[in-house]
Amino acid sequence: MANFRPEEGMSNQINRPNRLLRLLSFVVSTFLLVACGGGGGGSQPLTDNELERLEMDPRVAQRTAILERADTLLKSSYHLDYTFRGNGRTVQDKVEVSHSCSGSRCRDSYGTVTTIDDLFNNGIDTTEISIGNRGGFNTATLEGRLAVPRTEAGFTFTRYPDPKAWGLWGEHGYAAVQIDSGRVAGRVDGNHVTGEIDAVGAYALGTATGSNPSGTGSATWRGIAEAASTRTFRRRSGTATVSIADLSRPRVDVEITISGANIGTWTDMRVTNGRYSAGTAGRNHLVGDFHGPNHGETYGVFDTGLYVGAFGARREEAQ
């Protein structure tokens, strides 16, 4: 975090970096689950007819059901680059906001708590959605728009970058990476503020098993991943492979590859109540949960410092 000195700030509030960063973290956090809508809405919210057509798509219905019954939330760190200008001053920084998650709640490194419910009540109008499939998973590209001015901790955003998310889901979980990049405007302590923000984060949610895979022999889960660079804030897609060499002593290996490049391999992760993890935030961190009957699917998030992303994988039948 930058060293903010009183004479460098644009107002009393913006001189308190924790308050600003908590707000940015909360805004990005609650924007991460763009509401399900569809059609080429451009910058306008989707019409009732467009929404009705989408709700009839079984893939969208499946996604909605997963989100509604979800009781477990995972979130990566959020990486933010921002510049604010106002009252003749400029505040600029590049920061990482980590998360600690338990059940349906995540707390960030500034103490802000978000829940699955917050993700649904995010003040975003969906303007466009494109549904497809890849690697045996349903996929969606979603775009949204800030519906109304948003006020948190004394800051009011009247303009915020249109969020764009790339999601994937199977039968028991959902995961996505989101990028917010563009101009911002609002008011701080009565002062008009403008600037730019680039932000990226990832999340996964669903109804986790809460139990470990067991049995004899080995098991492999194969699927897909979505990632974004924390330098260029551009999305890249790829694959995910999750494996356990010995089910009688379950230790998890995960390999993430995007666009032909190996992003990371996390090995020998202990499984506790169906969850596996390794590393620390911003330093080759990965965390995932098993979902569904026979631990048939697994979803998680990762953060290497250079890339942030999410993945889903489905269990292969034993040969």
Side-chain angles (χ1 to χ4, degrees):
M1 184 186 304
N3 181 19
F4 286 77
R5 294 178 297 180
E7 65 269 25
E8 292 176 339
M10 64 181 68
S11 70
N12 288 335
Q13 287 227 46
I14 216 163
N15 269 328
R16 303 170 189 156
N18 280 3
R19 292 177 67 89
L20 174 60
L21 295 176
R22 286 182 65 178
L23 171 64
L24 290 175
S25 173
F26 184 82
V27 170
V28 176
S29 296
T30 55
F31 284 2
L32 269 174
L33 188 60
V34 180
C36 193
S43 62
Q44 299 300 317
L46 296 164
T47 67
D48 290 342
N49 287 338
E50 289 170 327
L51 289 172
E52 185 176 354
R53 285 198 299 271
L54 276 170
E55 289 169 356
M56 295 176 63
D57 188 318
R59 296 168 297 181
V60 174
Q62 184 182 46
R63 176 182 183 270
T64 301
I66 290 170
L67 302 182
E68 288 179 345
R69 65 174 180 257
D71 61 8
T72 303
L73 175 65
L74 298 174
K75 293 167 69 174
S76 73
S77 292
Y78 295 124
H79 292 257
L80 304 108
D81 287 7
Y82 64 86
T83 301
F84 282 96
R85 307 176 189 88
N87 199 27
R89 303 293 183 182
T90 298
V91 173
Q92 184 176 15
D93 204 358
K94 179 180 178 69
V95 299
E96 175 192 332
V97 182
S98 62
H99 286 92
S100 174
C101 300
S102 177
S104 63
R105 297 164 59 88
C106 294
R107 181 184 297 272
D108 71 22
S109 50
Y110 294 96
T112 302
V113 174
T114 54
T115 68
I116 292 175
D117 289 340
D118 289 326
L119 297 178
F120 283 101
N121 302 316
N122 55 26
I124 290 290
D125 280 337
T126 303
T127 58
E128 189 161 351
I129 181 171
S130 175
I131 303 291
N133 59 77
R134 180 165 61 88
F137 287 81
N138 294 317
T139 60
T141 301
L142 305 105
E143 297 184 43
R145 188 192 66 180
L146 182 64
V148 295
R150 186 177 193 118
T151 300
E152 302 288 347
F155 294 78
T156 299
F157 279 113
T158 55
R159 176 173 181 167
Y160 193 85
D162 292 342
K164 191 169 185 178
W166 291 265
L168 61 99
W169 67 99
E171 296 183 22
H172 307 288
Y174 181 84
V177 63
Q178 179 171 318
I179 300 171
D180 300 349
S181 185
R183 294 179 58 195
V184 293
R187 302 191 72 81
V188 181
D189 290 345
N191 296 312
H192 183 63
V193 176
T194 61
E196 297 82 34
I197 184 172
D198 292 300
V200 62
Y203 65 92
L205 70 164
T207 306
T209 62
S211 63
N212 298 347
S214 61
T216 59
S218 62
T220 302
W221 293 254
R222 297 191 190 277
I224 62 175
E226 293 289 351
S229 167
T230 61
R231 295 168 297 178
T232 65
F233 296 94
R234 294 181 180 177
R235 169 251 185 172
R236 299 178 71 177
S237 60
T239 61
T241 302
V242 179
S243 58
I244 296 177
D246 182 358
L247 287 167
S248 67
R249 179 185 171 275
R251 310 285 286 199
V252 176
D253 296 343
V254 178
E255 181 179 3
I256 304 293
T257 300
I258 61 171
S259 301
N262 182 278
I263 293 303
T265 301
W266 293 262
T267 61
D268 201 36
M269 289 180 282
R270 183 186 300 274
V271 191
T272 303
N273 298 325
R275 175 165 295 180
Y276 50 91
S277 65
T280 57
R283 294 173 178 83
N284 289 323
H285 184 230
L286 180 142
V287 58
D289 286 311
F290 287 102
H291 298 256
N294 196 34
H295 305 87
E297 294 179 347
T298 182
Y299 297 87
V301 298
F302 59 90
D303 177 9
T304 69
L306 297 179
Y307 287 93
V308 169
F311 65 92
R314 181 173 288 115
R315 189 171 186 167
E316 294 185 333
E317 295 294 332
Q319 299 297 318

